[in-house]
């Protein structure tokens, strides 16, 4: 069964994602560090089933605490896994840092720009189409707590493929 | 191909310049509330109000409404007399274990599995856990916890931790077991060791709080003060003694959020389910074991042997040996049992503090073991020292005040 890792910075809504995708029950809270160990669950896709793993939040792949160590170890152990990178849309830069690190290591990534509503509140506008073109990976705006964008995330899983960081650098130069 | 951190940040800047536009920042009500609750001048009074509100709802809902208003009447008025009359074999050991004292007129004193065991688990602790977790889920989901962390940061630095230590500390007030796992958010081994040791020793769990406010409502404040002082005094000492680093951290404060009721309901269900499945059997088993030890005469023998120590050093009656044994399994049961032993108010306070700081309950012990046996041995050494020093100190305070 294909594995999907849910990764991202702390407190961006990975556990809410996990519960929605799998129908499982993991504790969700509005503070960073709720998930300190990984949880597995299963999701039915339209053509195949997936095993989904809720990974503790981390800012980078250089672990700073025990919960981050768990995250990095998970990623290293699941070489063939697909990664749904959950990003706080209102703090996109730090999310991109982790996301790029994961892309550089050759994983197929789907990017979920979560907390889209919070970003709107803060008047942060993101050009999804441009971001998609630069990164060449699926990018989906989501609001995990209300369920917005989930269908599209699930549909995008098929489209995700490993991309080269060099190409990303080239494309960003060409984009206006 | 992989990038260096600088190259990566450089690329991110380029990407974000192309795709992100930051509009004018609107100062919303949420932001204003957020600032009011982290600035010390307004934040500290708000924090005190929130915590006081938490406590008063906790004690009036669990204690006054559920336990005294309903379960005491149900158990003592109807269930106890009924089971005392229908259970066969009065005077036999089987009756003693399951129903307890046939002359008892309340469920604390009977001390049988089906009387005290059920009453403590369902009548006292369940409502306490319910209201505690309901309010905690609210605080968690609204996003108040990280703000509390910012406020208490300075104090926690004195004991080698930082503001974020408030998260495992408050979780421990519900149950020490998930709190031990939550210490993983602390960065260094030193911090995790200090946190685990302090919470296992000084933080009473929800079950224990529930029973304490039922059996010693007039002295619970003093017991909690002793525990809080102990937490900081020994935290301060551990910070000096334990080698290692206590780094600074930057805390991410998330925006306030409207709580989602289905999420709160789900969390509540999971945590209560966990309590019913893991804690209740231990309460009942604790009753069985303690009753067997009484029947076998082990507790009387231990009480006699340990009386010089218990009375001489801690100033409490030798009979407290029974509750101390029960405390291995469940602290709520131990406190319930203490309440039936005859002693002065001050001896009671000392014994309840002793039961609290003494050995963690078996479930917490297993969790500590999972996080590493070296830590566990260290925590254990601290624990033994703390009991003798702190227990002796409390007794000394009472003697100096002349209230023993």
């Amino acid at each position: 069964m294909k594995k999907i890792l849910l990764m991202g910075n702390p407190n961006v809504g990975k556990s809410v994602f996990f519960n929605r995708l799998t129908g499982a029950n993991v504790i969700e809270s509005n503070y960073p560090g709720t998930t300190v160990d990984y949880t597995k669950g299963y999701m039915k896709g339209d053509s195949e089933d997936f095993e989904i793993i809720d990974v503790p939040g981390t800012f980078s792949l250089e672990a700073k605490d025990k919960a981050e160590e768990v995250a990095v170890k998970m990623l290293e152990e699941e070489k063939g896994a697909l990664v749904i990178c959950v990003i706080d849309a209102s703090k996109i830069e730090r999310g991109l840092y982790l996301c790029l690190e994961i892309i550089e290591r050759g994983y197929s990534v789907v990017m979920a720009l979560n907390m889209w509503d919070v970003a709107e509140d803060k008047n942060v506008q993101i050009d999804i189409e441009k971001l998609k073109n630069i990164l060449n990976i699926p990018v989906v705006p989501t609001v995990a707590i209300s369920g917005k964008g989930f269908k599209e995330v699930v549909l995008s899983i098929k489209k995700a493929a490993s991309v080269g960081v060099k190409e990303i650098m080239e494309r960003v130069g060409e984009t206006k | 191909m992989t990038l260096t951190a600088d190259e990566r940040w450089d690329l991110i800047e380029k990407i974000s310049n192309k795709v992100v536009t930051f509009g004018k920042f609107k100062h919303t009500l949420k932001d204003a509330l957020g600032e009011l609750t982290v600035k010390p001048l307004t934040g500290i009074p708000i924090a005190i109000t929130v915590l006081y509100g938490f406590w008063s709802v906790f004690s009036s809902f669990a204690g006054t409404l559920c336990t005294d208003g309903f379960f005491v009447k149900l158990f003592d008025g109807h269930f106890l007399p009924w089971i005392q009359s229908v259970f066969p074999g009065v005077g036999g050991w089987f009756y003693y274990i399951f129903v307890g004292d046939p002359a008892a007129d309340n469920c604390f004193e009977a001390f049988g599995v089906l009387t005290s065991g059920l009453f403590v688990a369902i009548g006292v602790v369940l409502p306490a856990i319910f209201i505690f977790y309901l309010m905690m889920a609210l605080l968690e989901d609204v996003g108040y916890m990280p703000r509390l962390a910012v406020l208490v940061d300075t104090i926690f630095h004195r004991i080698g931790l930082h503001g974020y230590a408030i998260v495992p500390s408050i979780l421990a007030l519900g149950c020490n077991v998930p709190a031990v796992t939550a210490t993983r958010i602390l960065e260094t081994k030193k911090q995790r060791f200090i946190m685990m040791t302090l919470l296992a020793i000084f933080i009473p769990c929800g079950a224990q709080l529930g029973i304490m406010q039922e059996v010693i409502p007039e002295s619970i404040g003093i017991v909690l003060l002793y525990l809080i002082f102990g937490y900081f005094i020994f935290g301060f000492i551990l910070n000096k003694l334990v080698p290692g680093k206590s780094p600074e951290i930057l805390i991410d404060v998330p925006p306030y959020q409207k709580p989602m009721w289905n999420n709160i309901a789900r969390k509540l269900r999971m945590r209560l389910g966990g309590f019913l499945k893991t804690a209740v059997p231990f309460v009942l088993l604790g009753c069985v074991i303690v009753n067997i030890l009484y029947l076998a005469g082990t507790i009387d023998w231990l009480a006699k042997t340990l009386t010089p120590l218990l009375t001489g050093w801690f100033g409490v009656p030798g009979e407290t040996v029974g509750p101390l044994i029960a405390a291995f399994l469940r602290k709520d049961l131990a406190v319930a049992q203490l309440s039936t032993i005859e002693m002065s108010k001050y001896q009671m306070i000392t014994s309840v503090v002793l039961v609290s700081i003494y050995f963690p309950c078996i479930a917490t012990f297993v969790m500590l073991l999972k996080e590493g046996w070296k830590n566990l041995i260290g925590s254990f050494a601290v624990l033994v020292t703390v009991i003798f020093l702190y227990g002796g100190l409390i007794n000394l305070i009472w003697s100096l005040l002349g209230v023993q």
Side-chain angles (χ1 to χ4, degrees):
Chain A
M1 200 183 317
K2 185 123 178 110
K3 285 184 182 170
I4 298 178
L5 300 179
L6 278 172
M7 294 191 71
N9 297 163
N11 208 42
V12 294
K14 293 175 294 300
S15 297
V16 188
F17 245 84
F18 179 79
N19 284 347
R20 281 210 180 261
L21 290 175
T22 61
N25 290 318
V26 295
I27 297 266
E28 312 161 353
S29 309
N30 187 14
Y31 58 79
T34 309
T35 309
V36 288
D37 210 342
Y38 65 89
T39 316
K40 289 182 183 183
Y42 298 92
M43 178 184 82
K44 265 198 162 0
D46 46 354
S47 54
E48 57 176 325
D49 293 353
F50 299 97
E51 180 178 324
I52 301 199
I53 304 168
D54 184 22
V55 179
T58 178
F59 285 108
S60 73
L61 296 181
E62 295 88 48
K64 297 275 189 301
D65 62 38
K66 194 107 179 174
E68 293 196 348
E69 272 172 34
V70 175
V72 177
K73 219 177 118 204
M74 277 321 296
L75 187 70
E76 278 164 1
E77 277 171 11
E78 306 295 347
K79 284 280 182 246
L82 182 138
V83 178
I84 296 181
C85 204
V86 185
I87 284 181
D88 177 347
S90 67
K91 299 168 188 152
I92 186 169
E93 285 93 346
R94 59 161 90 156
L96 269 173
Y97 189 91
L98 177 69
C99 189
L100 282 175
E101 275 195 302
I102 296 169
I103 289 175
E104 285 164 32
R105 296 197 181 190
Y107 290 87
S108 308
V109 173
V110 172
M111 184 190 282
L113 284 174
N114 196 33
M115 300 167 98
W116 191 250
D117 53 335
V118 178
E120 278 176 346
D121 276 355
K122 289 189 179 166
N123 240 333
V124 177
Q125 284 141 20
I126 300 167
D127 191 330
I128 302 268
E129 285 308 312
K130 249 191 214 172
L131 187 57
K132 248 190 225 171
N133 291 336
I134 293 173
L135 296 175
N136 196 23
I137 62 172
V139 179
V140 186
T142 59
V143 182
I145 55 174
S146 75
K148 183 181 174 284
F150 271 75
K151 259 197 180 145
E152 220 190 315
V153 171
V154 176
L155 291 173
S156 309
I157 289 170
K158 269 185 273 182
K159 291 184 235 156
S162 174
V163 291
V165 70
K166 210 171 162 193
E167 287 72 37
I168 294 179
M169 292 169 94
E170 282 163 11
R171 280 193 296 269
V172 79
E174 294 159 7
T175 312
K176 277 182 201 157
Chain B
M1 171 183 163
T2 53
L3 305 173
T4 65
D6 285 342
E7 287 170 338
R8 204 173 293 124
W9 281 122
D10 194 50
L11 176 59
I12 289 166
E13 203 188 329
K14 281 183 191 147
I15 296 177
S16 116
N17 280 341
K18 297 271 157 79
V19 301
V20 189
T21 34
F22 292 94
K24 225 181 130 204
F25 179 72
K26 286 177 296 186
H27 203 82
T28 60
L29 180 67
K30 273 186 197 171
D31 298 318
L33 267 178
E35 282 157 24
L36 278 179
T37 41
V38 284
K39 284 192 177 146
L41 195 64
T42 45
I44 292 171
I46 292 175
I48 293 171
T49 314
V50 168
L51 295 178
Y52 183 76
F54 196 107
W55 177 253
S56 38
V57 173
F58 175 79
S59 56
S60 49
F61 176 86
T64 317
L65 185 69
C66 293
T67 305
D68 292 339
F70 178 69
F71 285 110
V72 168
K73 290 173 187 157
L74 178 74
F75 272 87
D76 292 354
H78 304 282
F79 182 72
L80 183 67
W82 175 76
I83 199 149
Q84 280 170 332
S85 65
V86 299
F87 205 88
V90 186
W93 60 270
F94 199 68
Y95 188 95
Y96 183 83
I97 290 176
F98 283 93
V99 181
D101 182 359
D105 60 0
N106 68 66
C107 274
F108 277 121
E109 279 166 17
F111 216 76
V113 176
L114 296 176
T115 52
S116 298
L118 272 187
F119 175 65
V120 166
I122 307 294
V124 185
V125 175
L126 187 63
I129 298 272
F130 170 82
I131 193 70
F132 182 90
Y133 278 135
L134 176 65
M135 288 191 295
M136 197 172 78
L138 259 174
L139 284 187
E140 281 181 344
D141 282 23
V142 167
Y144 186 64
M145 302 282 251
R147 285 162 177 96
L148 204 54
V150 173
L151 279 176
V152 296
D153 191 56
T154 322
I155 314 170
F156 276 90
H157 272 292
R158 305 267 159 165
I159 58 171
L161 301 169
H162 49 64
Y164 232 81
I166 198 78
V167 171
S169 300
I170 288 189
L171 279 179
L173 284 172
C175 175
N176 286 355
V177 171
V180 170
T181 324
T183 60
R184 290 185 185 178
I185 58 170
L186 300 169
E187 287 80 8
T188 61
K189 278 192 179 154
K190 170 184 178 168
Q191 290 179 310
R192 295 191 68 215
F193 175 73
I194 294 180
M195 187 76 253
M196 278 196 258
T197 308
L198 289 181
L199 71 85
I201 299 178
F202 288 108
I203 304 191
C205 66
Q208 212 180 327
L209 286 171
I211 194 99
M212 285 196 304
Q213 73 97 30
E214 180 62 27
V215 298
I216 47 159
E218 68 293 334
S219 349
I220 185 169
I222 304 174
V223 171
L224 292 181
L225 270 184
Y226 269 126
L227 293 177
I228 293 170
F229 277 130
Y231 180 97
F232 284 103
I233 294 169
F234 287 94
F236 185 80
I237 298 172
L238 281 178
N239 182 30
K240 300 275 178 220
L241 294 181
V242 180
K245 282 189 195 146
S246 302
E248 294 280 339
I249 55 147
L250 287 171
I251 302 184
D252 212 3
V253 180
Y256 275 126
Q257 229 175 44
K258 237 186 261 161
M260 288 175 296
W261 293 110
N262 55 2
N263 186 35
I264 289 187
R266 182 172 57 218
K267 277 207 260 201
L268 201 56
R269 229 177 21 242
M270 284 164 65
R271 285 169 171 163
L272 286 180
F275 169 76
L276 289 174
K277 268 183 277 179
T278 56
V280 174
F282 273 112
V283 174
L284 301 181
L285 182 71
C287 271
V288 174
I289 292 178
V290 171
N291 278 340
I292 290 176
L293 291 177
Y294 267 116
L295 282 175
T298 318
I299 290 187
D300 287 334
W301 177 80
L302 272 175
K304 250 190 230 128
T305 321
L306 293 176
T307 295
L309 172 73
L310 288 170
T311 313
W313 185 253
F314 298 115
V316 297
E319 288 89 353
T320 47
V321 159
L324 284 173
I325 289 175
F328 272 111
L329 287 152
R330 289 290 301 177
K331 303 226 171 167
D332 42 5
L333 186 68
V335 177
Q337 207 184 349
L338 274 178
S339 72
T340 63
I341 296 172
E342 211 153 306
M343 54 181 137
S344 77
K345 181 185 164 193
Y346 299 96
Q347 287 179 313
M348 182 62 90
I349 294 173
T350 316
S351 337
V352 174
V353 174
L354 280 180
V355 162
S356 305
I357 60 181
Y358 159 90
F359 211 77
C361 72
I362 190 121
T364 311
F365 180 83
V366 171
M367 275 321 286
L368 288 170
L369 189 63
K370 270 191 200 161
E371 297 290 320
W373 60 271
K374 277 185 194 155
N375 268 342
L376 182 67
I377 293 174
S379 299
F380 193 73
V382 176
L383 182 111
V384 173
T385 321
V386 167
I387 288 186
F388 280 96
L389 288 181
Y390 208 50
L393 181 72
I394 293 174
N395 187 27
L396 185 68
I397 292 174
W398 295 146
S399 315
L400 290 176
L401 291 173
V403 290
Q404 197 62 277

